[in-house]
Amino acid sequence: QLQFVESGGGLVQPGGSLRLSCAASRFTLDYYAVGWFRQAPGKEREGVSCISNSDGNAYYADAVKGRFTISRDNAKNTVYLQMSSLKLEDTADYYCAAVSPFECRHIEVVTTPLSSWGQGTQVTVSS
């Protein structure tokens, strides 16, 4: 069963930065595109970014474009999400999951990824 472990969340002030990590558990990350998703209180989960496994292309939702950067280190079996210029509306639980190449290019509308949802990591942006 594909599953990831997310970490790196915390409390940060508006304008601050955080780096989230997504570690693959018991499988090799090389074969999968990986997306980051978030769920704010009272809202549906939404895809915010994805990185392909074939060419390393990255995709971003409009809401985070220019502020978030996704990367992967296959040697460490980990995908990262560097979040900068954080806004109050970025407050959410963040999750990562494996997705298909097609889903990666359309990450904003993905609701059912290939892997199970992990515990997530909480990001709170507050002054």
Side-chain angles (χ1 to χ4, degrees):
Q1 183 180 6
L2 302 179
Q3 194 164 32
F4 297 85
V5 178
E6 303 92 345
S7 62
L11 174 64
V12 63
Q13 291 186 339
S17 299
L18 278 176
R19 189 178 80 156
L20 306 183
S21 297
C22 165
S25 175
R26 296 191 296 273
F27 66 97
T28 301
L29 197 60
D30 303 36
Y31 303 114
Y32 299 96
V34 178
W36 277 100
F37 301 78
R38 68 184 181 186
Q39 186 168 21
K43 294 190 175 181
E44 296 290 320
R45 187 151 25 200
E46 61 177 356
V48 297
S49 184
C50 186
I51 187 164
S52 75
N53 60 309
S54 57
D55 53 18
N57 281 348
Y59 303 91
Y60 300 94
D62 289 342
V64 306
K65 202 170 292 183
R67 300 188 298 118
F68 290 11
T69 302
I70 192 171
S71 62
R72 64 191 297 155
D73 185 339
N74 287 345
K76 294 184 178 179
N77 231 23
T78 301
V79 171
Y80 303 97
L81 186 68
Q82 178 68 46
M83 305 187 297
S84 304
S85 302
L86 283 162
K87 303 176 180 180
L88 297 176
E89 53 264 41
D90 294 319
T91 294
D93 291 327
Y94 284 72
Y95 305 84
C96 59
V99 297
S100 71
F102 177 82
E103 289 172 330
C104 195
R105 295 191 294 273
H106 305 279
I107 193 65
E108 291 184 72
V109 298
V110 174
T111 57
T112 308
L114 298 176
S115 59
S116 303
W117 296 113
Q119 294 295 312
T121 186
Q122 188 175 59
V123 173
T124 302
V125 184
S126 175
S127 56

